Amino acid sequence: MAVLEMKDNVFWVGAVDWGLRDFHGYSLARNGTTYNAFLVFDEKTTLFDTVSSRLSEEFFGNIQEIIDPTRIDYLVVNHVEPDHSGCLVEAVNLIRPEKIFCTTMGKQFMISHYHHEDWPYAVVKTGDWISLGEKTVYFIELRMLHWPDNMGCYIKEDKLFLSSDAFGHNWATSERFDDQVDFREIRAHLANYFANIILPYSDNVLQALGKIEELEWDIDMIAPDHGLIFRSHVNEVIEAYKEFAQQKAKAKAVIIYDTMWKSTEKMALAIAEGLIKEDISVKVFHMKSCHHSDVMAEVLDAQAVLMGSPTHNRGVLPYVAAMLRYMEGLRPQGKIAAAFGSYGWQRDSIKNLTETLERMNMEVVGSIRVQNVPTAEDLNECVALGKRVAETIKEKQDRWSKR
Ligand code: FEO
């Protein structure tokens, strides 16, 4: 992908990973991703971040297109996760930087990843700044967005915030700026990334946004390490992040289930019918044919999560168990829930589902179990459960709107 001058003497030198689907070993990047890295020309020419080792040729090719790498003075490592530091060893060997700016945890992580105690680390913290010559770089620690080492950089003269993983989204594109694509599509990718990567750290997000506000930085461009660069929707992307982190729910329910002989599936669809009759937006996921990342993207703004599984070996079916474990780790807040499923002779799935949902601090407002195959009456009960959940969703929504 071509190098791009995004501000005066600030160049995008990242790489587009069109073929990536497995993001970090647990999340699905359905549309690939980008690794954004930036080169700033000044008296001290500085490279901000590298890219995944998958794309080292493209990355170094981009740099060489505009500068002899040995003329770079500083490196800034905003995050050590290998999607951004995958070319770091090669970069250090090539550039021989005077200094490598990073947080305390950044230094620790670089040493434990790459085992070079002798690199010229320069540890910085929130509020520290350096002059590159004409440009000034202010640092802000972005702890847990998404690892403890993350930091962001504000280049004052350019009103540019390099935000690392914050505001990142997985989307491989030929375009580099937010106004070259549909912002609604960016928002969907942003929500997906947040739901699968950042959600457990929602409190840290709100703290970081508060800190940025307090610092009164005049920002007219936000450049995350993944996805599009924001120059026309700066306020919108900050507002979207705030909304995700506050975990504001909509009048929406997500039904997640697996089934053996379709009894639990019939129950899922009857429950959906009850919700739909009450004008609740519903998403239904059969876990055998869905990816947990797609499910979490819908859970993010749903008020209710309804989990279904038949009893299997005194527990739940494996895809449902995996989904529950994945969701539990991401710690969604403020949800209501319900459990449903069929059974043959042991009745454990509802107990298992309810206990797990409650452990996630979800308010379980109902459950239903059916022996073997549901009758018409059983399915009416399922519709009634859907309606009951819908009523609770509406009550919660009323409370949200009065806040
Ligand atoms: Fe984009 Fe936490 O790495």
Side-chain angles (χ1 to χ4, degrees), residues 23-24 79 81 83-84 146-147 150 165 193 197 225-226:
F23 189 70
H24 295 14
H79 186 22
E81 191 156 21
D83 49 336
H84 309 293
H146 128 250
W147 277 8
N150 283 76
D165 276 338
Y193 188 98
I197 317 279
D225 270 1
H226 298 286

